[in-house]
């Protein structure tokens, strides 16, 4: 096993230990796409693929709430689906920067995913990201927000959900990843929050959240999920970081 291979294995094992939103596979840059994997860019650039994923989420949420899929508000499913994608992409990048001193600059055309009927989807990173030496934290934030999360947001905004809400989802996903990483490595709270701050400082996220004294954040838009609850219960059916809470 070469030193580069050993380093990749150690990093992938570590990411998997932080939870399902963090674990990743890896592939050689420029290698053929096979075994059910496909470029993330192909999903983002294909409205039909985005519609299919949203439809699957809508069906799952509708079943959970005991209603027919077409009776479940589609905008909720769009937002929930987008939030899941944002969390899946942000989590491993934040972990690499904060816990492994390896800020990476992912590119949409080199990331790969596998379809999943529900829950988190398998994500593969190009191996050269994991072998270092990494980039500046601010450059990593720029690459992730502008080059990956921006196009992803464009794809979901086409389904009649506001960009302010979608960027709020991104801020919420950053906050969720921080909670998980601080729980996993409390001694690295400082680096975790510093890496998150670099993401949250991007101009696209301006006005989407408010910092709280305990280091958490409260978003300034709503992911809409509270609307899935019966009307009488909506006042309390909010997320922990919700603007309505």
């Amino acid at each position: 096993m070469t030193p580069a291979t050993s380093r990749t294995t150690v990093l992938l094992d570590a990411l998997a230990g932080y939870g399902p939103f963090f674990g990743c596979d890896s592939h050689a840059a420029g290698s053929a796409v096979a075994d059910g994997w496909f470029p993330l860019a192909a999903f983002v650039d294909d409205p039909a693929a985005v519609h299919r994923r949203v439809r699957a989420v809508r069906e799952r949420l509708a079943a959970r709430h005991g209603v027919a899929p077409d009776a479940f508000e589609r905008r909720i499913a769009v937002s929930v689906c987008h939030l899941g994608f944002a969390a899946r992409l942000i989590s491993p990048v934040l972990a690499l920067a904060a816990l492994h001193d390896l800020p990476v600059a992912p590119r949409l055309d080199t990331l790969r995913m596998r379809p999943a009927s529900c829950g988190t989807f398998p994500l593969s990173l190009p191996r050269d990201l994991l072998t270092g030496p990494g980039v500046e934290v601010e450059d990593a934030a720029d690459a992730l927000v502008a080059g990956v999360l921006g196009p992803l947001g464009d794809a979901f905004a086409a389904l009649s959900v506001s960009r302010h809400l979608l960027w709020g989802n991104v801020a919420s996903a950053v906050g969720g990843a921080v909670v998980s990483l601080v729980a996993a490595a409390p001694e690295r709270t400082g680096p975790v929050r510093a890496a998150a701050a670099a993401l949250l400082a991007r101009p696209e996220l301006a006005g989407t959240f408010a910092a709280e004294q305990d280091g958490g954040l409260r978003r300034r838009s709503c992911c809409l999920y509270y609307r899935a609850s019966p009307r009488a219960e909506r006042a309390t059916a909010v997320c922990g970081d919700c603007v309505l809470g």
Side-chain angles (χ1 to χ4, degrees), residues 8-98:
T8 298
T9 300
V10 168
L11 286 174
L12 293 177
D13 286 347
L15 289 175
Y18 305 139
F21 282 95
F22 296 88
C24 293
D25 288 274
S26 70
H27 58 272
S31 61
V33 181
D35 299 326
W37 292 97
F38 62 91
L40 181 64
F43 171 84
V44 170
D45 293 338
D46 183 358
V50 177
H51 276 274
R52 286 193 298 272
R53 178 72 181 188
V54 168
R55 179 67 184 181
V57 170
R58 190 181 189 187
E59 290 173 349
R60 186 171 75 254
L61 293 175
R64 182 183 302 169
H65 290 273
V67 299
D70 290 343
F72 191 88
E73 187 177 349
R74 190 181 74 153
R75 291 175 67 243
I76 301 172
V78 174
S79 177
V80 170
C81 186
H82 171 266
L83 180 54
F85 266 81
R88 187 69 180 97
L89 296 169
I90 288 166
S91 296
V93 174
L94 189 62
L96 288 170

Side-chain angles (χ1 to χ4, degrees), residues 34-205:
D35 299 326
W37 292 97
F38 62 91
L40 181 64
F43 171 84
V44 170
D45 293 338
D46 183 358
V50 177
H51 276 274
R52 286 193 298 272
R53 178 72 181 188
V54 168
R55 179 67 184 181
V57 170
R58 190 181 189 187
E59 290 173 349
R60 186 171 75 254
L61 293 175
R64 182 183 302 169
H65 290 273
V67 299
D70 290 343
F72 191 88
E73 187 177 349
R74 190 181 74 153
R75 291 175 67 243
I76 301 172
V78 174
S79 177
V80 170
C81 186
H82 171 266
L83 180 54
F85 266 81
R88 187 69 180 97
L89 296 169
I90 288 166
S91 296
V93 174
L94 189 62
L96 288 170
L99 301 190
H100 301 280
D101 299 315
L102 184 61
V104 298
R107 287 173 30 205
L108 189 65
D109 61 346
T110 63
L111 298 174
R112 296 178 183 177
M113 64 177 290
R114 262 180 165 168
S117 58
C118 62
T120 58
F121 57 87
L123 178 68
S124 183
L125 307 177
R127 211 159 290 138
D128 57 354
L129 286 184
L130 300 172
T131 55
V135 298
E136 296 296 324
V137 172
E138 292 75 14
D139 292 336
D142 289 351
L144 179 61
V145 174
V148 178
L149 298 171
L152 179 73
D154 292 342
F156 282 91
L159 299 178
S160 301
V161 175
S162 78
R163 293 179 186 276
H164 184 65
L165 182 155
L166 296 172
W167 283 118
N169 282 351
V170 169
S172 182
V174 173
V178 167
V179 170
S180 295
L181 292 175
V182 167
E187 74 282 1
R188 297 286 290 177
T189 296
V192 169
R193 290 183 174 165
L199 287 170
L200 295 171
R202 284 285 311 183
E204 294 90 338
L205 296 173

